[in-house]
């Protein structure tokens, strides 16, 4: 259940559930029902925020990687999706290879990326872009393939050029599917950026979280988890805000395929 149910309202029920979980969590720790060494109480986690160092730089690095990867995934994924959707011949020959690449876990490619490009921000962006472009490509390809036959017939009747057909018929019809893929791609870019920071490039929130874990600082570890959760929530709310204004009728999009 999303805390921000739409750009116009706050999901107070969702917020209430979060508050209830935090209260029950605190009570369970205080009473000894939960006595796990690496699971501090919410109060202890809140106190750990003051002990975090360099959190601003870490947030900035992770956001930079995630947003750059997201932008590249939109461009590359939309281009791949348009090509697949418009050309049956390309789709026939490429689908098998693309399905293999799309389902290949990106975590398995991180050691290869590390050997090729080294521990750098560039490597993070590459692996995050690779993971994020597939939801865009699949949704755009599906959206183009599902264009209503009457629209195609209208384009032929008006004798539109290939460029006019692309810009006036195909692209507008594919925008809703592109936006579905964009929501999935944004989440994927953030997740992969954090994983890459843990495994490939020691920087950002991922490395800070890993460092807190290695230093046996569970309070700080959970504080970083909370920061990552808030970033994901805010980014998702921004995308929902944009989607509700670009989709005809202003309705939220259903979950897409990817």
């Amino acid at each position: 259940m999303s805390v921000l149910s739409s750009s116009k309202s706050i999901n107070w029920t969702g917020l209430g559930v979060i508050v209830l979980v935090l209260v029950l969590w605190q009570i369970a720790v205080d009473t000894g029902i939960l006595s796990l060494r690496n699971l501090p109480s919410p109060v202890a986690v809140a106190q750990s925020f003051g002990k975090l160092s360099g959190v601003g730089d870490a947030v900035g690095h992770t956001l930079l990687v995630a947003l750059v990867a997201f932008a590249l995934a939109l461009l590359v994924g939309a281009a791949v999706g348009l090509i697949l959707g418009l050309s049956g011949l390309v789709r026939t020959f490429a689908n098998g290879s693309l399905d293999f690449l799309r389902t290949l876990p990106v975590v398995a490619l991180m050691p290869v990326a590390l050997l090729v490009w080294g521990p750098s921000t560039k490597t993070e962006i590459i692996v995050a872009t690779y993971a994020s472009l597939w939801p865009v490509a699949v949704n755009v390809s599906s959206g183009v393939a599902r264009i209503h036959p009457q629209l195609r017939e209208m384009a032929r009747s008006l004798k539109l050029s290939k460029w006019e057909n692309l810009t006036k018929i195909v692209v507008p019809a594919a925008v809703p599917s592109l936006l579905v893929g964009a929501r999935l791609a944004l989440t994927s870019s953030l997740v992969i950026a954090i994983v890459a920071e843990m495994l490939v490039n020691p920087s950002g929130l991922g490395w800070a979280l890993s460092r807190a874990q290695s230093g046996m600082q569970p309070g700080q570890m959970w504080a970083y988890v909370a920061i990552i959760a808030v970033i994901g929530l805010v980014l998702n709310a921004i995308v929902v805000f944009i989607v509700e204004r670009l989709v005809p009728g202003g309705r939220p999009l259903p979950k897409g395929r990817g």
Side-chain angles (χ1 to χ4, degrees):
M1 179 181 292
S2 177
V3 173
L4 299 179
S5 57
S6 73
S7 59
K8 299 179 182 179
S9 63
I10 296 177
N11 185 347
W12 294 107
T13 302
L15 281 174
V17 170
I18 292 175
V19 172
L20 178 61
V21 169
L22 291 176
V23 171
L24 293 176
W25 178 2
Q26 182 69 42
I27 293 173
V29 173
D30 289 342
T31 58
I33 296 175
L34 283 178
S35 58
L36 300 177
R37 184 177 60 179
N38 293 321
L39 184 63
S41 69
V43 171
V45 173
Q47 292 172 344
S48 296
F49 277 94
K51 302 177 183 178
L52 302 182
S53 61
V55 66
D57 292 338
V59 170
H61 178 88
T62 299
L63 277 177
L64 174 65
V65 172
L67 293 178
V68 170
F70 173 63
L72 292 174
L74 284 183
L75 292 175
V76 178
V80 171
L82 283 173
I83 293 172
L84 291 174
L86 291 172
S87 175
L89 182 63
V90 172
R91 191 162 57 248
T92 299
F93 283 98
N95 260 353
S97 300
L98 293 178
D99 283 342
F100 171 78
L101 293 173
R102 183 170 64 91
T103 56
L104 185 65
V106 69
V107 175
L109 296 176
M110 286 188 182
V112 177
L114 180 60
L115 288 175
V116 175
W117 294 291
S120 64
T121 301
K122 174 184 175 181
T123 308
E124 286 186 68
I125 292 174
I126 289 173
V127 295
T129 301
Y130 176 85
S132 305
L133 69 87
W134 299 115
V136 179
V138 170
N139 279 280
V140 170
S141 174
S142 179
V144 172
R146 290 199 306 264
I147 292 177
H148 200 283
Q150 289 184 352
L151 289 176
R152 299 185 184 276
E153 184 61 33
M154 181 182 68
R156 285 192 290 268
S157 300
L158 295 175
K159 298 182 179 180
L160 298 181
S161 65
K162 290 184 178 180
W163 176 251
E164 290 174 329
N165 179 61
L166 178 66
T167 57
K168 296 181 179 180
I169 302 295
V170 175
V171 171
V175 164
S177 297
L178 170 65
L179 294 175
V180 173
R183 279 188 76 176
L184 299 172
L186 182 58
T187 302
S188 180
S189 66
L190 178 61
V191 170
I192 298 303
I194 291 170
V195 174
E197 289 165 355
M198 292 178 174
L199 302 178
V200 174
N201 187 32
S203 55
L205 287 172
W207 178 245
L209 175 60
S210 181
R211 191 173 63 245
Q213 179 191 28
S214 301
M216 301 300 292
Q217 299 291 336
Q220 294 183 28
M221 182 181 69
W222 283 98
Y224 282 119
V225 170
I227 292 172
I228 293 169
V230 171
I231 291 174
L233 179 66
V234 172
L235 292 179
N236 182 70
I238 292 172
V239 174
V240 170
F241 180 87
I242 295 172
V243 165
E244 290 181 354
R245 277 150 182 77
L246 293 183
V247 175
R251 295 184 297 272
L253 287 172
K255 292 182 179 179
R257 296 159 48 193

